[in-house]
Amino acid sequence: MKESIILALLQNTSILLAFAMLYENFWIKDNKERSLLTKIIIGFVLSGIGVVIIFSTWQWVPGIVFDTRSVMISIAGLFFGTIPTVILIVVTSLVRFFMGGGGQWMGIAVIVSSGTIGLLWRYFRPNWKDGKYKWELLAMGIAVHLAMACCTLFLPPEKTWVTLEKIAFPLAFVYTPATLLLGILMINQYRNAENRQAQLRLKESEKRFMQILESGNIVSIILKPNGTIKYCNNYLLEITGYTYKEVMDKNWFNLFIPPELKADLYEMFLINNNTEHFINNNQYQILTKSGEKLYFSWYNTFLISDTNESSGIASIGVNITESKNYEKTLRDKNRKIAIQNEEYKLINKKLQEAKEKAEESERLKSAFLANMSHEIRTPMNGILGFADLLREQNLTGQEQEQYLNIIEKSGRRMLNIINDIISISKIEAGLMTLSIQESNINTQMNYIYTFFTPEVAQKNLQFTCHSDVSAERATIYTDKEKVYAILTNLVKNAIKYTEKGFIEFGVKDKNDTFEFYVKDSGIGIPKDKLKDIFERFIQAERIDQTINQGAGLGLSITKAFVEMMGGTISVQSEIGKGSCFTFTIPREIQNQPIPYLEINSKKDRIAPDPSSHKTTKIIIAEDDDSSLKYLTLILKKRGYEVFSVSSGAEAVELVTQIKDIDIALLDIQMPIMDGYEASKLIRSLNSTITIIAQTAFVHENDKTLMLHQYFDDYLSKPVKPTDLFQIIDKYLPQNVN
Ligand code: ADP
């Protein structure tokens, strides 16, 4: 009897184990959604197991048979779900029904209640597997077997109580724990299967991940928290030229990071290492084994262990060396283009400026020429007109005197203009130099005051001169002529542009410099012209059209003179109220003066001595009739024998005829044969002759050229008798007694 119980128990246990294996191997093998067919098949397999259990009973208590159907069917409901469990319930119930007997309905009730409780537990406590699942299983086991106890009500009434009494103990202490144990077994299998699957998935994903890491141009590394290399992929080795051995367990920062980046990167990684779930992106270079630098864009993840500690860094780096190089070339190109653009802009600006300058100078030249032609024509008309009038008979002595005065005045005005033009030309050609000598500034001021007093008085203006320079400091070392020219020009302008009020000029002693001023209460200068009036040509534009005289060159010459002496000039003026010109000059000019050419310079004159030159023969070649006549006259007056011709060819002809000509005075610009050509031929005919050029040029180069190649000396036009005599005397000293 006892043996059969043990056998039945073993049988039940093995059936339950088979049931558990069925669960592990066919149900949870893969976690996929199972098909209806599978569920039905499993339902029938379970039914088979259930039927076997129903037939594997044992009799613990006489008259009452036991089996583990309640355990198996409730656990089936909990683990297999509706379809398989319902099939199980139906099939086993039918089998039990056909088995018949007194316990028929109780047996069916136990099957239905166990399966239903299992299913209800599954659906109403879906998370029972998490957390305290053992308590859940125990609770369900109690519920199932309480229900089983209740099922005794389906027995014939007289057997109910007796049966309940007999099964109470096994239900509480065998069936309920058995349900718990089977549940635990199933859960473990479930977990094992899940773990296996998770591992499988992990392996697969690891494999995939490794495939990704090893494929393509991506470097992947895993570093320990101290920077030691734990893993690196082949691509890193490939591009850096290291072997796996050379890299493994070495410090990433020491091996791959350029020295200049090391400190910064190390700090960044070490600081961020402590930050939870830190992810960052950055770009930095690494060194290859040969020292070449490669540029990478990095995606770094700071790894955190289960215990929430830093377990290192995983970085993925994309090689962007090529794009960086390209970027650099692009940047360089852009920079070059930008520089080029700047240069072009500058060139454009310069071109624009040059264009504007050219236009301006063209405009000014036209204005200058118009002004010049007016300034020259006016006195010329005066000279020619009144010279014509002088020819008339019956002129009274007073009229003749008046006409001659006008001619002389016009001549002076012409000369002034020509002097201005020559001065400007010399300044522009850089030929104007300083002639420094001692000069008493107070005497100069007084002289100017005295000189202009009558002119100022004629206009009824108040005229004053101030000097705060003491007598001891009045003697300075300067270019006297230029100081005189500057002051004269400014006072002349003041007179010219003032109709009523006053003119005041003076000098202030400012230690190393003297400050001069010329002030008037005249018409004033428009504000926008103040800057322009000192510029060359600009002042040629007539600001005040009502005042006729003046070529507009005075102030630019004045400014040039002031600056040559190391001073500055400025003007303050208000329309209608007057102007004040101020200029400074140093008390002592240090530069050693170089004598400069000046048309009107008063050089020591040598008085002509006609008696000493009786035998001297001079040829004058000049195409301008009046000049020819004039020169002939003055030379004849000095007692020379003069031959006048109007071209170079005639001069040459004359030299062939008269062998003892002493001097040839040749004009440079003559028709048919110019001075150069004539000089060459004359010299070939007469080697002792002195040839002197007359030229309108004043350029230093011209002089040198003429002297060395063609002429012995030269005279500037208009030729002044004193200069002419001086040169003649220089070359014919033997004739001077
Ligand atoms: P200009 O022969 O025309 O006087 P300047 O070079 O001496 O030539 O002067 C340039 C211009 O400056 C003059 O045309 C005139 O308009 C203005 N200017 C010079 N001095 C004075 C002044 N004292 N008062 C008013 N305008 C003046």
Side-chain angles (χ1 to χ4, degrees):
M1 180 81 171
K2 263 198 174 164
E3 268 173 32
S4 69
I5 291 175
I6 292 167
L7 220 65
L9 273 172
L10 278 173
Q11 210 172 347
N12 269 264
T13 310
S14 53
I15 292 165
L16 288 177
L17 281 174
F19 166 77
M21 278 170 65
L22 175 78
Y23 177 68
E24 189 192 343
N25 293 312
F26 297 101
W27 190 255
I28 53 168
K29 196 174 159 206
D30 45 17
N31 228 355
K32 283 183 222 151
E33 184 58 30
R34 279 153 286 264
S35 65
L36 181 66
L37 184 69
T38 318
K39 285 176 184 172
I40 292 169
I41 293 169
I42 291 287
F44 282 106
V45 175
L46 286 178
S47 304
I49 295 171
V51 172
V52 174
I53 282 182
I54 289 171
F55 284 107
S56 311
T57 54
W58 70 91
Q59 215 174 26
W60 215 331
V61 184
I64 296 175
V65 287
F66 287 88
D67 61 41
T68 53
R69 81 183 72 162
S70 62
V71 176
M72 182 250 170
I73 295 172
S74 64
I75 291 292
L78 191 62
F79 282 89
F80 287 91
T82 314
I83 296 169
T85 310
V86 169
I87 294 171
L88 169 67
I89 290 172
V90 173
V91 174
T92 47
S93 297
L94 282 173
V95 170
R96 184 62 195 89
F97 177 77
F98 290 116
M99 278 169 71
Q104 185 188 39
W105 294 111
M106 182 193 163
I108 292 171
V110 169
I111 290 167
V112 173
S113 66
S114 303
T116 310
I117 289 171
L119 283 176
L120 289 175
W121 214 271
R122 179 184 174 99
Y123 293 108
F124 289 104
R125 297 203 52 86
N127 298 325
W128 70 270
K129 281 189 198 113
D130 311 330
K132 297 173 175 170
Y133 66 93
K134 286 177 186 161
W135 289 108
E136 292 274 348
L137 286 170
L138 188 65
M140 191 193 80
I142 292 169
V144 168
H145 293 102
L146 274 176
M148 189 172 161
C150 296
C151 288
T152 50
L153 291 172
F154 290 96
L155 289 172
E158 68 280 4
K159 285 194 179 171
T160 304
W161 188 244
V162 186
T163 311
L164 201 59
E165 253 184 5
K166 285 181 181 167
I167 65 169
F169 182 80
L171 284 190
F173 297 103
V174 179
Y175 279 62
T176 304
T179 312
L180 172 68
L181 285 176
L182 184 64
I184 290 172
L185 181 69
M186 300 281 277
I187 271 277
N188 282 343
Q189 275 170 323
Y190 172 79
R191 292 230 163 115
N192 283 346
E194 236 183 16
N195 280 348
R196 273 200 304 278
Q197 274 166 15
Q199 262 175 13
L200 220 68
R201 278 199 302 274
L202 198 71
K203 264 191 187 155
E204 265 174 28
S205 84
E206 207 175 276
K207 202 171 138 194
R208 274 201 298 272
F209 181 64
M210 290 311 272
Q211 272 172 349
I212 292 169
L213 293 186
E214 291 297 347
S215 67
N217 297 349
I218 294 173
V219 161
S220 50
I221 48 165
I222 296 175
L223 308 181
K224 289 181 189 165
N226 63 1
T228 308
I229 301 164
K230 207 154 100 181
Y231 163 80
C232 76
N233 68 350
N234 271 328
Y235 183 62
L236 178 76
L237 305 174
E238 235 172 70
I239 54 162
T240 57
Y242 284 107
T243 62
Y244 189 75
K245 262 192 175 169
E246 285 171 325
V247 167
M248 259 323 108
D249 293 325
K250 301 281 158 38
N251 188 290
W252 170 256
F253 298 94
N254 291 343
L255 200 61
F256 287 103
I257 306 301
E260 67 275 13
L261 302 178
K262 216 187 270 183
D264 282 353
L265 278 176
Y266 204 62
E267 193 184 2
M268 188 184 94
F269 279 110
L270 283 185
I271 288 170
N272 291 323
N273 233 337
N274 299 325
T275 319
E276 261 184 51
H277 313 303
F278 186 88
I279 295 176
N280 83 358
N281 300 337
N282 56 5
Q283 291 186 354
Y284 63 86
Q285 289 158 311
I286 61 169
L287 290 173
T288 64
K289 196 174 178 179
S290 61
E292 191 194 338
K293 279 181 184 171
L294 299 175
Y295 225 106
F296 274 81
S297 179
W298 296 96
Y299 303 88
N300 312 299
T301 308
F302 291 86
L303 307 170
I304 308 292
S305 71
D306 289 346
T307 52
N308 224 9
E309 275 168 30
S310 159
S311 64
I313 305 153
S315 297
I316 285 178
V318 180
N319 191 350
I320 53 168
T321 311
E322 258 181 45
S323 67
K324 275 279 164 189
N325 287 343
Y326 185 65
E327 217 174 83
K328 194 175 166 280
T329 356
L330 219 63
R331 254 203 320 270
D332 287 350
K333 267 188 192 159
N334 273 349
R335 230 191 334 262
K336 268 186 200 156
I337 290 171
I339 292 169
Q340 238 168 30
N341 270 350
E342 280 308 310
E343 277 169 7
Y344 287 148
K345 264 190 210 161
L346 217 72
I347 292 170
N348 262 351
K349 203 173 151 223
K350 277 188 184 155
L351 281 175
Q352 185 64 25
E353 277 170 10
K355 183 179 162 246
E356 278 165 14
K357 239 184 180 166
E359 281 169 3
E360 173 76 352
S361 95
E362 195 51 43
R363 197 171 61 77
L364 292 172
K365 254 185 220 161
S366 314
F368 174 75
L369 285 177
N371 194 23
M372 276 302 134
S373 101
H374 168 265
E375 288 304 323
I376 292 168
R377 269 170 210 277
T378 315
M380 274 310 280
N381 285 343
I383 294 167
L384 294 175
F386 283 95
D388 223 25
L389 285 177
L390 269 179
R391 281 210 193 90
E392 276 183 22
Q393 319 254 310
N394 310 328
L395 286 178
T396 64
Q398 203 188 352
E399 278 172 327
Q400 278 181 352
E401 177 70 24
Q402 197 188 349
Y403 294 172
L404 282 170
N405 274 345
I406 294 172
I407 291 172
E408 199 193 332
K409 220 171 140 190
S410 301
R412 275 191 215 290
R413 190 171 153 189
M414 269 278 279
L415 201 63
N416 275 341
I417 290 160
I418 291 164
N419 279 343
D420 273 358
I421 295 170
I422 289 168
S423 293
I424 272 287
S425 313
K426 276 196 206 167
I427 290 164
E428 287 203 334
L431 293 171
M432 188 64 84
T433 51
L434 294 174
S435 166
I436 296 164
Q437 50 192 291
E438 258 186 19
S439 164
N440 187 303
I441 214 72
N442 285 343
T443 315
Q444 243 187 333
M445 298 288 284
N446 278 336
Y447 177 78
I448 291 166
Y449 179 73
T450 320
F451 184 84
F452 283 107
T453 300
E455 206 176 329
V456 180
Q458 259 184 14
K459 289 184 102 175
N460 271 333
L461 301 171
Q462 200 188 318
F463 193 38
T464 46
C465 169
H466 299 282
S467 169
D468 73 358
V469 181
S470 63
E472 309 85 67
R473 288 178 52 82
T475 304
I476 63 169
Y477 196 60
T478 192
D479 188 327
K480 188 172 164 176
E481 296 292 329
K482 290 203 171 56
V483 175
Y484 176 77
I486 296 163
L487 279 168
T488 307
N489 198 24
L490 293 176
V491 175
K492 255 195 212 166
N493 273 354
I495 299 169
K496 202 179 353 173
Y497 297 107
T498 308
E499 289 311 314
K500 60 176 193 293
F502 67 90
I503 291 167
E504 180 190 327
F505 73 106
V507 57
K508 293 175 190 165
D509 188 346
K510 304 247 166 181
N511 291 328
D512 288 343
T513 52
F514 280 175
E515 189 183 280
F516 295 81
Y517 66 93
V518 179
K519 205 169 165 184
D520 64 55
S521 59
I523 57 169
I525 304 162
K527 274 222 153 48
D528 59 325
K529 293 283 178 186
L530 279 178
K531 200 166 61 44
D532 298 344
I533 55 168
F534 293 106
E535 294 299 320
R536 270 167 213 149
F537 300 129
I538 290 190
Q539 55 275 59
E541 279 186 298
R542 183 53 41 80
I543 291 168
D544 180 3
Q545 298 293 342
T546 60
I547 294 162
N548 283 325
Q549 276 203 15
L553 293 173
L555 284 183
S556 66
I557 296 169
T558 303
K559 184 173 182 246
F561 283 0
V562 170
E563 284 170 357
M564 275 177 81
M565 287 190 282
T568 56
I569 185 164
S570 62
V571 60
Q572 282 182 321
S573 184
E574 208 175 315
I575 285 282
K577 290 203 170 164
S579 316
C580 180
F581 286 83
T582 313
F583 70 94
T584 58
I585 54 162
R587 261 197 95 234
E588 281 194 13
I589 300 172
Q590 298 301 330
N591 285 359
Q592 261 313 304
I594 308 157
Y596 65 97
L597 297 163
E598 202 167 23
I599 293 292
N600 269 347
S601 62
K602 307 261 182 287
K603 293 187 181 154
D604 292 342
R605 292 177 185 189
I606 300 164
D609 182 4
S611 62
S612 59
H613 303 287
K614 275 182 193 115
T615 55
T616 303
K617 290 178 181 167
I618 299 175
I619 291 180
I620 307 171
E622 163 71 76
D623 64 330
D624 180 62
D625 202 36
S626 55
S627 299
L628 186 65
K629 279 191 180 138
Y630 174 70
L631 290 173
T632 310
L633 198 75
I634 57 167
L635 286 175
K636 274 190 174 164
K637 268 193 178 175
R638 218 188 183 210
Y640 302 121
E641 197 178 346
V642 183
F643 305 90
S644 15
V645 291
S646 57
S647 75
E650 283 175 74
V652 175
E653 178 64 32
L654 215 62
V655 172
T656 51
Q657 289 165 17
I658 308 162
K659 303 284 177 206
D660 57 346
I661 302 280
D662 300 293
I663 292 173
L665 190 62
L666 304 180
D667 187 15
I668 296 283
Q669 282 171 312
M670 285 183 294
I672 308 169
M673 187 187 288
D674 67 11
Y676 299 110
E677 189 64 31
S679 167
K680 229 165 45 182
L681 292 171
I682 289 171
R683 205 173 288 293
S684 65
L685 296 167
N686 181 343
S687 57
T688 58
I689 194 167
T690 300
I691 308 176
I692 296 163
Q694 298 179 61
T695 176
F697 305 139
V698 287
H699 200 279
E700 193 71 32
N701 286 342
D702 292 329
K703 185 184 168 191
T704 320
L705 199 77
M706 283 185 290
L707 279 175
H708 290 288
Q709 293 186 6
Y710 299 98
F711 306 104
D712 297 301
D713 213 329
Y714 85 104
L715 275 168
S716 294
K717 277 178 142 185
V719 175
K720 286 197 294 295
T722 45
D723 298 342
L724 180 59
F725 298 151
Q726 210 176 353
I727 275 195
I728 293 172
D729 293 344
K730 181 175 155 192
Y731 289 97
L732 300 170
Q734 70 279 16
N735 292 331
V736 181
N737 292 327

